[in-house]
Amino acid sequence: MTAALRLPSGPAPAAPYVPHPLHDPGRDWPETNCYVDLWIELLHGRGLAPEAMLGFTLRQDFEGDQFTFFKPPPGDIERLYGLEVLELAVYRDLEAHALMQVGAGRPVLVEVDAIHLPDTHGTTYGRDHGKTTIGILALDPTAGELDYLHNAGRFRLSGADYAGIFGPATLPPYAEFVKAVAEPLAAADLPGAALDLLVRHRARAPRRNPVLAFRDALAATAEGLVCRPLSVFHAYAFNTTRQLGANFEMLASHLAWLGESGAGDFAPAAEAAADLSREAKAFQFQLARAFHRRSAAGLAPRLDRPAETYARVFALLDRALGR
């Protein structure tokens, strides 16, 4: 039908793929959530700096049953990188739409079932269903091959997995495509624009400490929660401790990048955000032990320290911003 279609940006799939340093295995959270991870690598493949977009992490809140699944706002992406995120109307089969958009140099971001993704080998691949977002960079319908971004890397799939991604579905998946509408900001202009966005996001940050809200919600449910199967722990931890910790590790990287770019002295706030990332990871281990013991004794009060660190992050940030 057609030869494989490839984007001009990023390495060829046959070459070793080197993820962005934000996905370094030595970080507290080498992977954050599928959407943020996808954008980090999508921008990395275009030679752009994903650190610039991360000011939105200031707005994370505790939503009563989960921390905000943090995602870069489309307006920020367009302002910084000249990329518009548009919803893809899937009124034919997904494969035909993906072929059309990728052929125009527009990556397609689509929610798929992780059971078909070889890069999740050892977790969901071939075993468990799970919703996740991938970025389609190229596809070859004749060979049944797909070149895609997911989590911290770039991968290929084929055969039955290709058929699974593009197979019949009762409802079409939610999909977007990424369209270049302007030149990305020049390197010299990027820190100033990122700082302006940071200030705007600071004004929309939660008024109440969300870690305290998490503590109180956990205190009310912990005894029943930790008696449930370990699979519940994984889902709960992903949507609470992992989103909290990864969010603030990304904020730490953003503030460090701003400081290195000469936009201000953000080092103390960056260090505090990194502290909160580590504390969230430590609490996740404590949560896991509570599940294994089937006892939540003393669990919720252990969030007092991360709550204090959260307050310290914002106090130091406000000092750096002259608030």
Side-chain angles (χ1 to χ4, degrees):
M1 181 176 176
T2 180
L5 297 168
R6 311 216 180 280
L7 296 182
S9 60
Y17 185 78
V18 180
H20 190 273
L22 288 174
H23 285 141
D24 187 279
R27 288 172 65 86
D28 295 335
W29 310 91
E31 294 179 0
T32 61
N33 64 53
C34 59
Y35 201 79
V36 171
D37 289 336
L38 172 56
W39 270 102
I40 288 169
E41 296 303 329
L42 187 62
L43 295 171
H44 175 47
R46 291 172 174 256
L48 303 172
E51 296 93 339
M53 72 174 173
L54 296 172
F56 71 92
T57 52
L58 290 178
R59 298 175 71 156
Q60 187 183 54
D61 203 352
F62 183 69
E63 310 294 354
D65 55 358
Q66 60 199 272
F67 276 94
T68 311
F69 188 89
F70 60 104
K71 301 170 68 172
D76 291 12
I77 290 173
E78 183 170 348
R79 178 177 177 185
L80 297 171
Y81 309 112
L83 299 173
E84 186 176 14
V85 184
L86 298 167
E87 183 171 348
L88 178 60
V90 183
Y91 62 89
R92 293 188 292 167
D93 59 280
L94 174 63
E95 182 186 47
H97 290 293
L99 196 63
M100 171 69 70
Q101 296 302 326
V102 169
R106 302 167 180 169
V108 171
L109 316 183
V110 59
E111 291 185 344
V112 301
D113 190 340
I115 201 169
H116 303 301
L117 301 180
D119 65 284
T120 66
H121 181 77
T123 54
T124 56
Y125 181 53
R127 296 167 51 183
D128 296 310
H129 297 284
K131 184 183 73 170
T132 192
T133 302
I134 64 171
I136 298 175
L137 301 183
L139 66 160
D140 184 343
T142 302
E145 295 181 346
L146 184 69
D147 173 16
Y148 69 100
L149 293 172
H150 184 235
N151 291 336
R154 184 172 180 173
F155 308 96
R156 294 180 70 86
L157 59 77
S158 60
D161 297 323
Y162 184 95
I165 295 295
F166 293 114
T170 303
L171 293 173
Y174 180 75
E176 300 169 327
F177 63 96
V178 180
K179 181 179 180 180
V181 294
E183 290 296 317
L185 290 180
D189 298 327
L190 197 59
L195 180 59
D196 180 58
L197 290 172
L198 182 76
V199 171
R200 295 186 184 197
H201 290 308
R202 173 64 186 95
R204 298 292 186 270
R207 294 182 179 272
R208 185 194 175 192
N209 187 319
V211 184
L212 289 177
F214 176 41
R215 181 201 64 187
D216 295 345
L218 180 62
T221 60
E223 288 298 339
L225 177 69
V226 300
C227 292
R228 300 182 68 184
L230 197 57
S231 59
V232 173
F233 160 75
H234 291 296
Y236 185 79
F238 176 85
N239 288 290
T240 56
T241 50
R242 177 168 165 178
Q243 293 310 303
L244 172 64
N247 182 84
F248 277 87
E249 187 170 35
M250 286 292 164
L251 176 59
S253 296
H254 177 66
L255 296 175
W257 176 84
L258 280 174
E260 292 164 2
S261 302
D265 181 12
F266 293 99
E271 291 171 6
D275 287 342
L276 182 51
S277 168
R278 288 188 289 269
E279 290 166 5
K281 185 173 184 178
F283 182 78
Q284 182 167 290
F285 285 118
Q286 294 164 351
L287 182 64
R289 286 195 291 270
F291 268 83
H292 283 291
R293 294 194 311 264
R294 294 184 173 273
S295 171
L299 183 62
R302 290 175 180 167
L303 286 166
D304 288 346
R305 181 176 176 182
E308 292 171 359
T309 304
Y310 178 93
R312 181 160 53 90
V313 170
F314 279 82
L316 291 169
L317 177 62
D318 287 346
R319 185 182 304 170
L321 294 173
R323 290 171 59 97

